[in-house]
Amino acid sequence: MSGMKVGAVIITMGNRPDELRALLDSVAGQDGDPVEVVVVGNGSPVPDVPEGVRTIELPENLGIPGGRNVGIEAFGPAGRDVDILLFLDDDGLLASPDTAQLCRKAFEADPKLGIVSFRIADPDTGVTQRRHVPRLRASDPMRSSRVTTFLGGANAVRTRVFADVGGLPDEFFYAHEETDLAWRALDAGWMIDYRSDMVLYHPTTAPSRHAVYHRMVARNRVWLARRNLPAPLVPVYLGVWLLLTLVRRPSRPALRAWFGGFREGWTTPCGPRRPMKWRTVWRLTRLGRPPVI
């Protein structure tokens, strides 16, 4: 049996107690050594959880990256008390009891593997939304591959990645925090895999259900570029995304919110700037997603 210790971080707003309990049961039912779980109440009380599940209740909502960072530190500095951390949405459900074991085997087999992105599937239809396949060629969700980013609520991270490059960017609050971590990890030499055989069941939803979606997507896109890209690529990357946004023809209120966020991204602090190496740009390009789209 693998010696790699696995933990799990789940953040909740406390409003899905039945779904949270089902998720926790699916984690408890994993094969191999037990997965240690921390549930973070992000500005809300944590519903009743099974014995042995640790809970942390934050006095205010720190956003998705902030809440997950608190969960990481609950496993020691940079999560060092475990080898692998699972990050799971509180309304998700691990589809198979072998997911934790598959993670152990994947990380043991590839010392440079830093992050694994799970496949998200609707529990009723089994369908994986195109947006949940973290690559440009997303038509076949059953094909596993190397990728350049990952899905925030359905993934596993080797905790040495956090020790190397730090945690998720707290200031993002919601949207693109995964890509920020992914780019920093890739720049440090880690790799990311999308694995179609590691499945999280999750109801089909639209990201725009969040009221702040359009503003934060635009603001954080600018922050992402300002923090991570070589200077010549910043206007190219943001210009491409501006054009893509216009081509998609969002509603007038959505577009107004998007442009407000875009301006905010340029006029507010984005955190430390650490532009990736040009060889990382080339690696991203070879992996099928150059950092201009």
Side-chain angles (χ1 to χ4, degrees), residues 86-100:
L86 310 180
F87 295 87
L88 307 168
D89 276 351
D90 69 342
D91 55 346
L93 183 75
L94 289 174
S96 171
D98 68 353
T99 303

Side-chain angles (χ1 to χ4, degrees), residues 37 42 67 129 134 147 151 153 155 163 183 192 203 216 247 255 282-283:
V37 181
N42 215 352
Q129 291 180 271
V147 290
L151 307 171
N155 68 80
W183 283 0
I192 306 170
M216 288 196 173
V247 166
L255 194 60
W282 176 236
R283 177 191 287 183

Side-chain angles (χ1 to χ4, degrees), residues 87-171:
F87 295 87
L88 307 168
D89 276 351
D90 69 342
D91 55 346
L93 183 75
L94 289 174
S96 171
D98 68 353
T99 303
Q101 285 289 67
L102 288 173
C103 286
R104 292 183 179 102
K105 291 175 181 176
F107 285 113
E108 282 191 331
D110 185 353
K112 296 309 294 180
L113 180 62
I115 302 171
V116 173
S117 189
F118 300 170
R119 181 166 65 88
I120 293 179
D122 184 274
D124 297 321
T125 66
V127 171
T128 296
Q129 291 180 271
R130 187 181 182 91
R131 70 184 181 88
H132 284 152
V133 182
R135 58 177 179 243
L136 292 179
R137 295 179 179 176
S139 59
D140 182 7
M142 301 308 294
R143 179 173 67 87
S144 299
S145 69
R146 293 282 202 204
V147 290
T148 62
T149 188
F150 64 99
L151 307 171
N155 68 80
V157 181
R158 191 192 297 267
T159 54
R160 280 178 51 204
V161 172
F162 299 126
D164 271 3
V165 305
L168 295 153
D170 286 339
E171 53 268 67

Side-chain angles (χ1 to χ4, degrees), residues 12 14 16-22 24-25 39 45-51 53 55 57:
T12 184
R16 294 190 279 237
D18 294 339
E19 293 90 338
L20 174 62
R21 186 59 181 252
L24 292 171
D25 288 345
V39 178
V46 176
D48 289 338
V49 297
E51 187 176 351
V53 173
T55 62
E57 294 185 352

